[in-house]
């Protein structure tokens, strides 16, 4: 059961377009908008999770994964230090100014 709501404001042209498209597809405006938005969201996220490589690109990618880890000067210290997400870190930055 759906329990969440999303409210949208549209202009007259957008509403007319959505009404026409939903009528042609045989859906309500809500079902049409929800379906189109959900599909668009899934496609956008898939671009960030799924990628395809040809044989040459795969070989290079696989080779990079197989290489032993190496120490990069300064990286260990950078990752061990406080970040902007740490509590009290924002206060430290304010004190620096």
């Amino acid at each position: 059961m759906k329990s969440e709501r999303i409210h949208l404001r549209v202009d007259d042209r957008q509403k007319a377009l959505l009404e026409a498209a939903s009528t042609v597809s045989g859906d309500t405006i809500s079902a049409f908008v929800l379906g189109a938005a959900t599909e668009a969201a899934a496609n956008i996220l898939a671009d960030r999770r799924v990628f395809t490589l040809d044989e040459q690109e795969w070989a290079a990618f696989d080779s990079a994964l197989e290489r032993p880890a190496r120490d990069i000067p300064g990286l260990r210290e950078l990752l061990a230090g406080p970040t902007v997400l740490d509590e009290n870190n924002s206060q430290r930055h304010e004190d620096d100014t």
Side-chain angles (χ1 to χ4, degrees):
M1 177 174 231
K2 297 176 184 175
S3 62
E4 299 297 323
R5 289 185 170 269
I6 297 175
H7 300 277
L8 300 171
R9 294 200 181 275
V10 296
D11 62 31
D12 292 338
R13 288 181 50 198
Q14 291 169 321
K15 184 177 180 187
L17 180 64
L18 293 171
E19 286 174 336
S22 66
T23 299
V24 168
S25 68
D27 286 329
T28 64
I29 294 175
S30 291
F32 178 80
V33 169
L34 179 59
T38 302
E39 184 178 340
N43 288 337
I44 287 170
L45 294 176
D47 285 347
R48 294 175 180 358
R49 292 179 291 181
V50 177
F51 59 95
T52 56
L53 304 172
D54 63 27
E55 285 187 44
Q56 183 178 358
E57 292 167 330
W58 176 257
F61 178 71
D62 190 47
S63 175
L65 290 177
E66 294 298 323
R67 281 195 303 257
R70 61 186 175 94
D71 194 34
I72 299 172
L75 185 58
R76 189 175 312 276
E77 292 80 17
L78 176 65
L79 295 176
T83 73
V84 296
L85 301 176
D86 293 329
E87 284 188 44
N88 299 324
N89 192 37
S90 61
Q91 183 63 41
R92 281 187 286 238
H93 285 298
E94 289 173 8
D95 293 342
D96 291 344
T97 58

